[in-house]
Amino acid sequence: DSIDTIYPGAAETCEDTIDQDCNGSDLSCSVVDADNDGFTPADGDCDDTNAAINPGATEVCDGVDNNCVGGIDEGVQTTYYQDSDSDLYGNSAVSSLACSAPVGYVLDSTDCNDSVAAINPGATEICDGLDNNCIGGIDEGLTFTTYYQDSDSDTYGNALVTDSTCDGTPVGYVLDSTDCNDADTLINP
């Protein structure tokens, strides 16, 4: 560019850092806002055919880069968790970031056993040797009773051999612990 091409009304060569037409800007020929959203491609508008897409737009969950930062649905997706047993509690180890819950996924991530629907944080603890309610204990909060082995079947048990359970009387055990000889049916209180 020579000095004789710079004068008021001269043809502007866009974005070459020279103001050929003397209007105070080098961008006079490229300031086109095709969608009238207040942003041009020079301002970072990544889709100048859609007024809802520009650097000032709010990102929404729609599969489009609404705010022109180079990501799709960034910051507006939700984490969902796989619910294999359909109990409405998900597995925290298997997640998906999405705008809406994928099939088989839920918002809750607190299931401690995602393969058994009866085991989840909303379940009632029952006497079965499992952590039914996902609290972290087995059969917690249930009443346990101590039973005593009755090897000679005389209904009196050996105080030294016990079984504590919440599930009823185990086979070969009784509530009484007063047998002094559990090997002989004829010796008992």
Side-chain angles (χ1 to χ4, degrees), residues 118-131:
I119 298 176
N120 61 63
T124 300
E125 191 68 25
I126 60 173
C127 186
D128 60 359
L130 300 172
D131 181 14

Side-chain angles (χ1 to χ4, degrees), residues 57-132:
T58 299
E59 190 69 23
V60 294
C61 238
D62 61 358
V64 175
D65 180 13
N66 307 94
N67 58 7
C68 298
V69 298
I72 295 175
D73 301 333
E74 75 281 346
V76 294
Q77 292 181 326
T78 302
T79 302
Y80 295 94
Y81 302 91
Q82 186 177 39
D83 181 17
S84 297
D85 58 11
S86 300
D87 62 0
L88 302 180
Y89 296 90
N91 178 351
S92 64
V94 183
S95 64
S96 177
L97 195 60
C99 292
S100 60
V103 174
Y105 283 72
V106 295
L107 284 170
D108 188 287
S109 66
T110 59
D111 203 338
C112 60
N113 185 334
D114 200 35
S115 61
V116 179
I119 298 176
N120 61 63
T124 300
E125 191 68 25
I126 60 173
C127 186
D128 60 359
L130 300 172
D131 181 14
N132 307 97

Side-chain angles (χ1 to χ4, degrees), residues 3 27 51 76 81 89 114 119 146 153 161 165 173 177-179:
I3 194 81
L27 301 176
V76 294
Y81 302 91
Y89 296 90
D114 200 35
I119 298 176
T146 300
S153 299
V161 183
T165 182
Y173 285 76
S177 65
T178 60
D179 202 337

